[in-house]
Amino acid sequence: MTDTLIEVKETESKLPLHNGEILQDYRLAYRSRQASLIGRREVMSGKAKFGIFGDGKEIVQLAMSKVFQKGDFRSGYYRDQTLMFAIGEATIQSFFAQLYAHTDIQYEPATAGRAMNAHFATRSLDENGEWNNLMELHNSAADLSPTGSQMPPLVGLAYASRLYRELEELHQFSGFSDHGNEIAFGTIGNASTSEGMFWETINAIGVLKSPAIITIYDDGYGISVTNEHQMLKGNLSELLQGFQRTPGSRDGYDIYTVNGWDYPSLLETYRRAAQIARAEHIPAIIHVIELTQPQGHSTSGSHERYKSKERLKWEEEFDCLRKLRQLILDLGIASSEEMDEFEKEDRKGVEEIRKQAWHDYVTPIQKETREVSRIIDQMISTSAHAERLIEIKNRLVSNQNPLRRDIQSAIHETLMLVRDEQLPAAKDLIQWREDHKQVNEDRYSSQLYSQSEKSALRVTGIQPVYSPASPKLYGFEILNACFDAALKRDPRVIAFGEDLGRLGDVNQGFRGLQEKYGELRVSDTGIREVTILGQAIGMAMRGLRPIAEIQYLDYLLYGLQILSDDLSTLLWRTRGGQKAPVIVRTRGHRLEGIWHSGSLMAGIIHLVRGMHVLVPRNMTQAAGFYNTLLQSDDPAILVEVLNGYRIREQRPENVGEFCLPLGVPEVIREGSDITIVTYGACCRIVLEAADQLSKVGIEAEVIDVQTLLPFDIHNRILDSLKKTSRIIFIDEDVPGGTTAYMLQEVIEKQGGYFWLDSPPRTLPGSQHRPAYGSDGDYWSKPNVESVFEAVYEIMHETDPSRYPLFYI
Ligand SMILES: Cc1ncc(C[n+]2csc(CCOP(=O)(O)OP(=O)(O)O)c2C)c(N)n1
């Protein structure tokens, strides 16, 4: 066991592998290299759009694959093709299928053509959205392009092992873990370690004492930018030294620095790191230096523009494949001629697989092309535009790299051309397009939200039950009872956040629950929003049910990137292959001050499509939504109303069971003159204004939308509008923010414009952030008076004599 920073020197020792295995490894890496070379050619020839490849990083990945066991997880990036081939979770065929954007999961199981090439993922879910046995897979979280974003989920992927080991009640979930023996492998490029989330992740994993092995592929560049511009001292190993554990301590990492072309040292390093991580849950960082990038960064540019002649020469000499080949020759495992022969055979083999992958991709498109051209053919003999039609058809059938969009354009052009003719085939063409509409919808847009039995939209509502004895409690006590029931019911429910453990959160929703359920079920975290969310994502990917708290809604912005790029796209970008049912708990609305306003809803809802966003007006509604979410497999954000914790509500007898359906607004005041649509803390203000309006003869119907995503799925607001013919949308977000969103939903999508007798209005907060203090709040957000006047003005416009402007 090592406790110090070790520099693994080139070793003369023989490889700890059989000769045959070394040769097999080389050939696998060689085939991977060929896939990179051929892949680049495919992009250059126009068959694929963009390519990024793992050339130059093959040998380190072979070494990693030797210790990567079933049940383990990878969270890496686009250089990892050799690892994925070596652990058997990607093939050269699927690699090319992805390069071509093949939309069939049989051929491209990672993303069904939705992500660009080298974005790996394994299928954690079956076709019904239920979990596969993850212990039978070498798992890989779905890759992302924003560099560094693979890091935050690694926190949860690694931490889950600790929970599965240390929480006895989780030992029953054998499809996810074998007593926490699994390692989470992270990979990242040298330049991306400049990202804040890299350092936050390293720190969090260290604090959480979780079994991650983080490999840094250091080829000295981030596209064209050298390490001197990326990191202090230009040397990552030196910077990382503070994370090194002291001998005998469990605090910190084992850190290794090893050359990327040195197979024996790499094998030994990974063997050692994995043994310690698996057995003792001590994480490791493996800084792999002296790596190369033979083809340059991607197909977007050439590295000759920014690498010196000397560097390029060095890269050729220190190419890891070349070095491994030399080692094989030196060890007498094969002769040069034999190696040439193997390479020739493998080159040919990869090219054949590539051809087959192209054939598989293009054949269904060609079939569709033929079907459409046949229909166009039928028009040619009878149309006055025969010549143009022949042109369109020929263009379609002669296209060597046909795309479905070319077919759509040809159909559109044809229909435009023959629009004045009564051709029966035109109807066939329209029908053909209609028939394919749903298929294409499915190809590109399915699985944004869960389509499984556990979809949040399928959870049946259970009414809250009250008895005369139901006590009136503070809002936070209602939540506390709900969380208590959830933790008791399901051992997979794990709650964490800043001040959530010992204190029970800043508003005491979890008060006393750490003592009751232990420090691993209800825990404190550092101030690290990005990795709180990453922790939740990784844990949920491994079958747990995290409730991750972001202390105040305004600080969700720190984690919005990972929610937007990763969590909300996860199910969709794997076309139903992976899910992470995370509940993000936060509190907002109606607080005071620039960074405590809790009003930034539009920024959130527009960036997290793929998640549900819930804005309950009180804690009973919040409890009902938590109960719903905990039964579903959709990720969600729930915003509790900050000034509601100290307001008394009657606690339902079934506080741990009752469920509120999503997408169902509630009419919280009936009226016939105007519909006021709002949510969250504004409900109370609007209700107060509605009482005042009633005194001047205006009966407002007040609707709490309750959930912004999904929004009013049964058109309940439209029903109200049909009755009142007037509508106003009110919240404390910016102008053009969530009020505009709600307006579009009702007026455009629900067809509300048809029922309007007055122009629809919005009453949002101010453009600027709310100023501090009660007066600052008053002049920054809607208040009882401004709501009154906004509604009154609408009524005045309809009937000035009945509603004179008495206040101006
Ligand atoms: C957040 C983010 N910023 C910028 C980019 C554009 N980009 C893609 S790869 C890359 C360089 C990454 O270099 P490094 O981390 O060293 O990995 P390498 O590609 O060299 O393996 C950049 C700047 C990105 N994808 N994501």
Side-chain angles (χ1 to χ4, degrees):
M1 189 196 305
T2 177
D3 288 324
T4 52
L5 185 79
I6 59 158
E7 187 89 26
V8 183
K9 294 266 182 287
E10 187 179 1
T11 168
E12 294 299 316
S13 68
K14 282 196 189 300
L15 290 156
L17 301 172
H18 302 299
N19 288 356
E21 201 177 341
I22 302 167
L23 199 55
Q24 284 310 315
D25 288 351
Y26 175 79
R27 293 188 67 176
L28 188 142
Y30 185 83
R31 285 196 295 275
S32 180
R33 176 68 63 88
Q34 288 310 304
S36 301
L37 298 172
I38 295 171
R40 185 178 175 88
R41 189 197 69 202
E42 289 301 278
V43 175
M44 295 308 164
S45 73
K47 279 208 174 80
K49 263 211 131 159
F50 172 79
I52 193 152
F53 306 105
D55 48 316
K57 320 276 189 301
E58 290 94 345
I59 303 304
V60 43
Q61 294 177 32
L62 288 178
M64 204 186 313
S65 76
K66 301 288 177 194
V67 296
F68 200 117
Q69 296 183 0
K70 285 187 174 168
D72 287 349
F73 250 95
R74 159 191 174 275
S75 185
Y77 78 121
Y78 47 76
R79 300 289 178 211
D80 282 343
Q81 69 198 51
T82 309
L83 172 69
M84 294 304 290
F85 296 155
I87 60 177
E89 298 295 343
T91 62
I92 290 173
Q93 173 275 322
S94 70
F95 175 84
F96 282 110
Q98 193 177 47
L99 188 72
Y100 298 135
H102 197 158
T103 53
D104 187 337
I105 56 167
Q106 302 304 325
Y107 296 89
E108 206 282 80
T111 76
R114 291 179 181 186
M116 55 173 55
N117 89 306
H119 283 59
F120 305 102
T122 44
R123 296 199 78 77
S124 305
L125 305 178
D126 65 18
E127 60 282 6
N128 300 317
E130 297 293 337
W131 290 106
N132 287 323
N133 185 343
L134 302 190
M135 295 307 291
E136 288 171 1
L137 292 170
H138 298 89
N139 302 282
S140 171
D143 289 1
L144 303 114
S145 293
T147 65
S149 296
Q150 69 274 35
M151 288 289 109
L154 195 66
V155 177
L157 293 172
Y159 185 54
S161 286
R162 196 172 153 207
L163 295 167
Y164 278 118
R165 180 172 291 179
E166 294 179 31
L167 288 172
E168 215 164 294
E169 59 269 39
L170 290 179
H171 291 174
Q172 56 183 304
F173 298 104
S174 56
F176 295 98
S177 177
D178 172 17
H179 298 82
N181 285 335
E182 303 76 30
I183 295 174
F185 288 86
T187 65
I188 186 166
N190 52 297
S192 301
T193 64
S194 302
E195 292 281 7
M197 59 175 91
F198 168 77
W199 296 97
E200 195 177 309
T201 298
I202 296 274
N203 183 52
I205 288 175
V207 169
L208 294 173
K209 299 183 172 40
S210 300
I213 296 181
I214 299 168
T215 300
I216 300 158
Y217 301 148
D218 192 344
D219 58 15
Y221 290 82
I223 309 188
S224 66
V225 183
T226 56
N227 278 351
E228 286 66 41
H229 297 284
Q230 301 279 4
M231 62 203 64
L232 186 67
K233 304 180 184 187
N235 182 350
L236 203 53
S237 280
E238 205 179 327
L239 292 190
L240 287 167
Q241 280 188 43
F243 291 93
Q244 171 70 46
R245 68 183 171 129
T246 48
S249 161
R250 294 201 70 234
D251 262 338
Y253 287 77
D254 284 332
I255 302 179
Y256 306 85
T257 304
V258 55
N259 289 328
W261 44 264
D262 181 353
Y263 199 34
S265 296
L266 286 162
L267 284 166
E268 175 55 17
T269 305
Y270 279 96
R271 188 194 63 75
R272 221 188 293 180
Q275 194 179 39
I276 297 168
R278 215 178 284 287
E280 301 176 44
H281 279 187
I282 289 167
I285 297 171
I286 302 179
H287 181 198
V288 185
I289 56 172
E290 300 206 358
L291 281 167
T292 69
Q293 209 150 265
Q295 296 194 108
H297 176 75
S298 70
T299 51
S300 295
S302 80
H303 59 160
E304 285 81 6
R305 280 192 297 157
Y306 51 82
K307 285 182 187 162
S308 66
K309 279 203 178 71
E310 295 71 43
R311 169 75 196 188
L312 287 168
K313 187 161 171 291
W314 178 87
E315 289 207 7
E316 229 180 282
E317 247 172 69
F318 281 78
D319 183 314
C320 63
L321 265 193
R322 189 174 163 155
K323 286 277 192 187
L324 184 55
R325 183 186 151 119
Q326 191 56 48
L327 190 69
I328 288 170
L329 298 180
D330 292 348
L331 293 172
I333 295 170
S335 69
S336 185
E337 293 70 32
E338 284 167 327
M339 291 299 280
D340 288 347
E341 205 45 48
F342 290 141
E343 288 176 2
K344 193 171 146 200
E345 195 181 306
D346 287 335
R347 264 199 311 276
K348 201 164 152 245
V350 173
E351 182 57 36
E352 259 151 34
I353 296 171
R354 202 274 315 152
K355 263 193 217 150
Q356 184 64 41
W358 174 257
H359 175 82
D360 295 337
Y361 159 76
V362 85
T363 303
I365 304 179
Q366 284 171 333
K367 180 172 166 281
E368 289 173 28
T369 306
R370 278 197 302 276
E371 285 169 8
V372 169
S373 64
R374 242 179 263 132
I375 303 175
I376 298 175
D377 242 351
Q378 290 167 27
M379 299 178 178
I380 290 172
S381 55
T382 47
S383 171
H385 306 284
E387 230 169 90
R388 293 280 305 283
L389 289 173
I390 290 169
E391 250 175 57
I392 295 171
K393 188 197 110 175
N394 286 346
R395 201 166 62 224
L396 250 192
V397 291
S398 65
N399 192 344
Q400 289 304 298
N401 303 335
L403 291 168
R404 289 198 167 91
R405 72 166 189 200
D406 300 331
I407 302 174
Q408 295 293 319
S409 302
I411 293 173
H412 180 73
E413 208 180 331
T414 304
L415 291 175
M416 292 258 296
L417 209 57
V418 301
R419 67 187 181 282
D420 296 330
E421 300 176 316
Q422 301 300 315
L423 303 180
K427 283 207 174 65
D428 295 342
L429 207 52
I430 291 167
Q431 188 58 48
W432 190 96
R433 187 165 62 175
E434 201 51 34
D435 292 345
H436 284 75
K437 201 171 160 187
Q438 188 51 47
V439 184
N440 283 321
E441 261 305 295
D442 207 45
R443 265 189 195 119
Y444 298 105
S445 304
S446 60
Q447 303 280 4
L448 183 58
Y449 289 92
S450 172
Q451 294 175 202
S452 81
E453 287 295 318
K454 295 198 176 67
S455 154
L457 298 180
R458 289 188 193 222
V459 177
T460 38
I462 300 175
Q463 290 291 320
V465 177
Y466 294 99
S467 78
S470 303
K472 273 206 140 190
L473 302 177
Y474 284 127
F476 78 84
E477 292 173 309
I478 307 254
L479 280 181
N480 192 267
C482 162
F483 291 138
D484 191 359
L487 286 158
K488 189 170 169 198
R489 188 174 54 230
D490 188 345
R492 297 168 307 165
V493 174
I494 311 277
F496 51 91
E498 295 154 18
D499 300 295
L500 188 116
R502 209 160 91 175
L503 192 65
D505 89 46
V506 287
N507 293 97
Q508 304 186 56
F510 277 91
R511 186 173 71 178
L513 298 182
Q514 188 181 66
E515 287 104 85
K516 195 163 173 185
Y517 295 97
E519 285 190 20
L520 287 175
R521 298 286 306 283
V522 180
S523 52
D524 284 317
T525 66
I527 304 176
R528 49 173 180 83
E529 283 75 12
V530 181
T531 51
I532 287 174
L533 297 170
Q535 186 173 331
I537 294 169
M539 285 165 60
M541 281 176 152
R542 292 191 62 190
L544 298 171
R545 298 304 318 249
I547 300 176
E549 172 166 320
I550 298 297
Q551 200 163 71
Y552 295 101
L553 182 133
D554 302 67
Y555 309 134
L556 192 70
L557 263 62
Y558 274 60
L560 200 50
Q561 180 270 335
I562 204 76
L563 291 183
S564 181
D565 286 328
D566 192 359
L567 184 55
S568 28
T569 67
L570 183 68
L571 184 74
W572 174 83
R573 78 181 193 267
T574 55
R575 198 173 174 175
Q578 292 186 9
K579 64 180 173 185
V582 169
I583 298 177
V584 180
R585 174 193 187 216
T586 188
R587 50 185 71 83
H589 313 316
R590 223 68 215 178
L591 190 58
E592 287 159 18
I594 304 170
W595 301 282
H596 294 86
S597 69
S599 312
L600 315 161
M601 293 313 300
I604 296 168
I605 58 170
H606 294 310
L607 284 168
V608 302
R609 300 296 163 95
M611 292 182 77
H612 295 308
V613 177
L614 283 50
V615 282
R617 66 182 178 279
N618 60 33
M619 300 310 159
T620 308
Q621 304 299 102
F625 284 134
Y626 280 124
N627 291 336
T628 300
L629 293 174
L630 284 164
Q631 287 184 43
S632 95
D633 60 3
D634 281 301
I637 299 171
L638 190 148
V639 184
E640 293 165 16
V641 174
L642 221 152
N643 56 13
Y645 295 110
R646 294 258 157 206
I647 295 175
R648 285 187 187 273
E649 298 172 26
Q650 197 168 22
R651 191 196 67 193
E653 294 299 314
N654 56 348
V655 68
E657 291 93 43
F658 86 102
C659 292
L660 286 182
L662 270 54
V664 182
E666 189 178 329
V667 176
I668 53 176
R669 186 190 193 282
E670 287 194 13
S672 51
D673 294 323
I674 184 164
T675 301
I676 308 180
V677 181
T678 191
Y679 60 88
C682 277
C683 289
R684 285 204 303 128
I685 288 158
V686 168
L687 282 176
E688 213 179 313
D691 280 345
Q692 290 195 6
L693 286 160
S694 174
K695 290 186 182 135
V696 295
I698 297 167
E699 293 305 329
E701 179 138 306
V702 181
I703 300 184
D704 173 9
V705 302
Q706 305 208 83
T707 66
L708 290 168
L709 296 175
F711 187 90
D712 187 12
I713 51 180
H714 305 302
N715 292 2
R716 293 267 167 90
I717 301 172
L718 186 68
D719 291 341
S720 173
L721 181 58
K722 283 179 186 172
K723 186 168 71 173
T724 62
S725 322
R726 279 175 272 278
I727 195 162
I728 181 166
F729 300 87
I730 298 177
D731 79 352
E732 48 181 77
D733 196 6
V734 290
T738 308
T739 45
Y741 160 76
M742 295 193 291
L743 182 132
Q744 190 225 4
E745 287 286 330
V746 177
I747 303 303
E748 183 187 321
K749 286 201 196 161
Q750 298 187 359
Y753 68 94
F754 194 73
W755 303 92
L756 287 171
D757 283 345
S758 298
R761 273 207 60 183
T762 62
L763 180 67
S766 61
Q767 297 233 47
H768 55 74
R769 297 282 181 96
Y772 179 57
S774 299
D775 279 347
D777 174 75
Y778 188 87
W779 269 276
S780 306
K781 294 180 176 181
N783 50 63
V784 175
E785 290 75 27
S786 63
V787 172
F788 178 98
E789 288 179 14
V791 173
Y792 193 84
E793 259 164 47
I794 298 173
M795 300 309 293
H796 166 77
E797 277 161 24
T798 13
D799 192 345
S801 60
R802 190 158 167 210
Y803 304 109
L805 291 179
F806 64 88
Y807 49 86
I808 50 170

